[in-house]
Amino acid sequence: MAGKHISGQQIRSGTASAAHYAEARGAESSADFIHKLRIAVKELNETEFWLRIIIDSGILPARKLEALLDECLQLKRILNASITTTRKSAR
């Protein structure tokens, strides 16, 4: 039962980050772009949280999720760098 709940949460946060990124690509201003990317980063934070819960609870072994966790962290770094660059450019 817990696994089903966790997987649902994981799917929602994982797909929401992609949707927010897509929204950011159509932003109407730099501020709007940053706002939407920040929401995408929050969703990636939640995705990371659920991946760690899955690992820590033993639902799946860490070796099966290492690549997903690494990709999540890379995406967070990329989006945060985009936020930083956009802030600097907007000044």
Side-chain angles (χ1 to χ4, degrees):
M1 187 69 157
K4 187 174 182 175
H5 172 74
I6 292 169
S7 69
Q9 292 295 114
Q10 177 65 42
I11 289 168
R12 279 186 283 285
S13 65
T15 56
S17 58
H20 288 292
Y21 173 74
E23 284 290 317
R25 291 179 51 207
E28 296 178 9
S29 66
S30 293
D32 188 34
F33 179 75
I34 290 168
H35 174 71
K36 287 177 167 95
L37 283 187
R38 289 180 68 209
I39 294 170
V41 171
K42 285 182 179 187
E43 294 294 343
L44 287 167
N45 286 336
E46 183 178 349
T47 299
E48 178 188 359
F49 169 80
W50 289 115
L51 287 170
R52 293 189 187 281
I53 291 291
I54 292 166
I55 292 167
D56 292 347
S57 66
I59 293 172
L60 289 173
R63 65 179 167 69
K64 289 197 171 209
L65 296 176
E66 286 172 352
L68 286 174
L69 188 56
D70 182 57
E71 186 168 342
C72 181
L73 297 173
Q74 287 182 48
L75 287 169
K76 285 174 33 174
R77 284 192 291 273
I78 291 166
L79 294 185
N80 280 318
S82 293
I83 291 167
T84 301
T85 300
T86 304
R87 281 186 180 144
K88 287 179 182 176
S89 296
R91 290 182 193 164

